[in-house]
Amino acid sequence: MELYQYTARQLQQCLSDNEVTSEMIVNSFLAQIERVEQEIGAFITVTADQALEAAKESDIRRRRNELVSPWDGIPIAVKDNMSTKGIKTTCGSKILANYVPPYDGTVIRKLKAAGLPLLGKTNLDEFAMGSSTENSAFAKTCNPVNWAKVPGGSSGGSAAAVAGYEAPWSLGSDTGGSIRQPASFCGLIGLKPTYGLVSRYGLVAYASSFDQIGPLGRSVEDVADLMNIISGYDQLDSTSVNRDCPNYAAALTGDIKGLRIGLPKEYFAQGLNDAVKAAIMAAVDKLVAAGAVVEEVSLPMTEYAIETYYLITSAEASSNLARYDGVRYGLRVADEDSITMFKSTRSAGFGPEVKRRIMLGTYALSTGYYDAYYKKAQQVRTLMRREFAEAFAKVDILITPTTPTTAFGFGEKKNSLEMYLSDIYTVTVNLAGVPALSMPVGKDQEHLPIGMQLIGQHFAEEALLNTAYTLEQVKLKEGCVHE
Ligand code: GLN
């Protein structure tokens, strides 16, 4: 096996056994990027020089016994909507095509403080709006499992980088499924943490009351480790939660005896692909064999999830994206007066999906429509939160498919509505602010990965990770971890 095929845990082992250096590891990933990037297109920017520089510094620290964390020297890729000082942060948009932030976001600061070299910034749907990465203004990203399929979105580049062995792990952001759905399409583990657990400072805002940063990896241990690196209170994010974070890796005991699993019947209804359903049920059987108990639950408000989600997120987006006016950030299309300059800049800078959402959001917030749309949607959101809370009074975690189908082809979703509908199982989680994890549980007839979603109550990341770990161990014993 080559170094670029190792998980972060395996790399950590090699480093601490002094078998390899961080420089060798980074070189191995850069060589793999060189080999496959032409086809996969996971990155918008590859930061080869900075990564090698950081790796050499890590190797010096190792020789001096001055390691800054247990992950010192293990490289990472990051979605291009997180602010990186001195490195372009485009959000997949023409309006920020040449934007170089003057500061690091909190997660980037934490990665640096832990000694992780940054391999580059990954492709995404423009401003994280989309489910296939087809909305990126710059690049096409292919699913490394099958190049004819999308990698999912909006963190498609972050998922493709890990699935294509161009990075051992990565960070994505999830507003309505953007970590879990690409993880599902690419056969990875992805975690959307509880709202407020990971700082959003320096994450370019799409819908501020939904957005969360989270890890993608090829093993549950890697995802737990990355959570240890990035989680925690941050004064710079007013929605950050001030509470102690557990050691997520220590939660991986492999013991789930007595765990109560709920299967929400609305998530197994019409529209769900048979192969996906069969794989989820087989995985649930394995969890039962490991000591869990299962019951059916009901979340009737799921019916309104798509409308509610797209209405509130578009409203928040229309407000958040007002700042791109050609004055302070990025693109400016010069024109005779300032109003025309705003218009020309925004017309040229934003892509069609972003414009659609700005218009929808502005409409929903305008006088006369606010009560009928925005306020109503917020009321539904409250009911959904309650419904989740009621479910979690009965069960510890909920299990659902991550997506109704496996990865679809480029151009297959003919219009926005079709694309929106594919988010049905993931958006409820962000509406409620609870954590959820997607993990691979099998493949369909086309050998495309099937993802299973585990949802927990607020701050139940440990239960999600441990359940995923338990299942991963069962699959390892059965020899089908690569299914
Ligand atoms: N597909 C959803 C949307 O377009 C989710 C995106 C995300 O989580 N960033 O809004």
Side-chain angles (χ1 to χ4, degrees):
M1 230 164 66
E2 300 287 332
L3 285 174
Y4 67 82
Q5 293 166 308
Y6 285 35
T7 63
R9 273 279 174 105
Q10 289 167 329
L11 293 171
Q12 186 184 38
Q13 190 62 49
C14 298
L15 280 168
S16 59
D17 291 347
N18 283 319
E19 283 168 13
V20 299
T21 61
S22 173
E23 191 181 350
M24 286 160 69
I25 293 172
V26 167
N27 271 320
S28 179
F29 281 103
L30 292 174
Q32 172 68 357
I33 291 173
E34 189 83 8
R35 266 190 300 273
V36 300
E37 189 54 9
Q38 195 80 27
E39 267 78 33
I40 297 178
F43 289 89
I44 292 179
T45 307
V46 176
T47 48
D49 294 345
Q50 289 101 319
L52 278 171
E53 189 68 25
K56 285 179 195 158
E57 284 166 16
S58 168
D59 289 331
I60 293 172
R61 286 195 294 274
R62 190 169 297 274
R63 282 199 293 277
R64 293 187 183 152
N65 248 326
E66 288 171 358
L67 292 180
V68 287
S69 85
W71 306 280
D72 202 328
I74 303 172
I76 189 164
V78 171
K79 188 175 182 178
D80 205 21
N81 61 350
M82 298 176 210
S83 221
T84 42
K85 185 176 178 176
I87 299 168
K88 246 182 7 178
T89 299
T90 69
C91 292
S93 179
K94 279 195 268 180
I95 212 154
L96 290 178
N98 299 310
Y99 171 62
V100 178
Y103 74 104
D104 279 328
T106 295
V107 289
I108 303 296
R109 200 175 40 71
K110 285 182 180 245
L111 297 180
K112 282 187 180 170
L116 276 67
L118 177 69
L119 291 164
K121 307 288 298 288
T122 58
N123 197 20
L124 69 158
D125 286 298
E126 186 174 2
F127 285 103
M129 297 175 190
S131 314
S132 66
T133 313
E134 289 168 292
N135 294 340
S136 167
F138 305 118
K140 174 179 174 183
T141 302
C142 294
N143 189 324
V145 180
N146 179 337
W147 293 346
K149 306 289 179 183
V150 302
S154 64
S155 312
S158 289
V162 179
Y165 297 94
E166 296 174 83
W169 51 12
S170 64
L171 289 182
S173 68
D174 190 311
T175 305
S178 282
I179 291 173
R180 292 161 285 155
Q181 187 254 23
S184 168
F185 281 11
C186 294
L188 302 173
I189 294 140
L191 174 68
K192 197 287 287 183
T194 303
Y195 184 77
L197 191 56
V198 178
S199 171
R200 291 184 300 111
Y201 179 73
L203 170 67
V204 178
Y206 156 18
S208 311
S209 75
F210 295 72
D211 303 338
Q212 267 294 285
I213 294 172
L216 289 131
R218 286 196 299 271
S219 79
V220 178
E221 285 176 333
D222 283 7
V223 166
D225 284 349
L226 198 42
M227 273 307 287
N228 280 338
I229 301 176
I230 62 171
S231 58
Y233 174 64
D234 181 17
Q235 270 188 338
L236 298 171
D237 171 1
S238 60
T239 59
S240 170
V241 179
N242 195 351
R243 78 196 311 257
D244 288 337
C245 287
N247 178 345
Y248 296 102
L252 309 181
T253 60
D255 180 4
I256 56 158
K257 278 187 202 67
L259 180 84
R260 295 166 307 167
I261 296 174
L263 300 179
K265 66 169 193 265
E266 292 77 8
Y267 288 66
F268 291 88
Q270 237 188 358
L272 175 61
N273 172 289
D274 291 339
V276 175
K277 185 171 179 179
I280 307 283
M281 295 323 286
V284 170
D285 286 345
K286 286 179 188 163
L287 291 171
V288 170
V293 289
V294 180
E295 67 175 272
E296 189 179 272
V297 297
S298 179
L299 297 168
M301 296 303 285
T302 308
E303 192 186 340
Y304 307 108
I306 295 287
E307 297 88 323
T308 311
Y309 168 82
Y310 276 96
L311 210 130
I312 305 175
T313 53
S314 297
E316 293 189 18
S318 73
S319 157
N320 275 325
L321 271 55
R323 75 191 71 177
Y324 306 106
D325 52 11
V327 178
R328 282 163 298 178
Y329 307 97
L331 183 76
R332 173 182 300 174
V333 178
D335 223 316
E336 59 244 38
D337 59 74
S338 54
I339 300 293
T340 338
M341 187 276 280
F342 296 158
K343 278 191 192 154
S344 316
T345 300
R346 289 169 69 81
S347 301
F350 290 135
E353 182 59 29
V354 174
K355 285 178 183 159
R356 184 175 296 117
R357 302 214 191 178
I358 292 173
M359 285 189 278
L360 173 65
T362 309
Y363 181 82
L365 288 175
S366 48
T367 327
Y369 298 106
Y370 181 92
D371 283 352
Y373 295 112
Y374 183 74
K375 195 168 152 203
K376 189 56 92 195
Q378 290 291 14
Q379 287 166 336
V380 175
R381 186 178 193 181
T382 303
L383 295 178
M384 285 180 172
R385 277 176 171 271
R386 265 188 222 155
E387 208 169 78
F388 268 108
E390 280 161 24
F392 288 124
K394 286 192 244 148
V395 296
D396 301 309
I397 66 166
L398 296 167
I399 287 189
T400 77
T402 308
T403 53
T405 66
T406 52
F408 45 86
F410 292 93
E412 195 179 315
K413 301 282 174 200
K414 293 283 173 247
N415 54 52
S416 293
L417 185 61
E418 267 188 51
M419 192 70 90
Y420 297 172
L421 289 173
S422 69
D423 296 335
I424 177 73
Y425 303 140
T426 49
V427 294
T428 49
V429 162
N430 306 69
L431 281 158
V434 293
L437 176 149
S438 179
M439 71 180 297
V441 289
K443 293 205 164 175
D444 70 0
Q445 302 84 329
E446 284 187 272
H447 300 289
L448 295 167
I450 294 169
M452 177 169 90
Q453 177 171 238
L454 316 177
I455 310 173
Q457 52 194 320
H458 294 95
F459 305 106
E461 279 79 4
E462 289 165 282
L464 300 183
L465 288 162
N466 188 36
T467 308
Y469 178 74
T470 307
L471 185 56
E472 186 185 64
Q473 295 305 304
V474 172
K475 291 202 300 168
L476 266 174
K477 274 199 205 105
E478 290 173 356
C480 56
V481 76
H482 294 302
E483 64 182 3

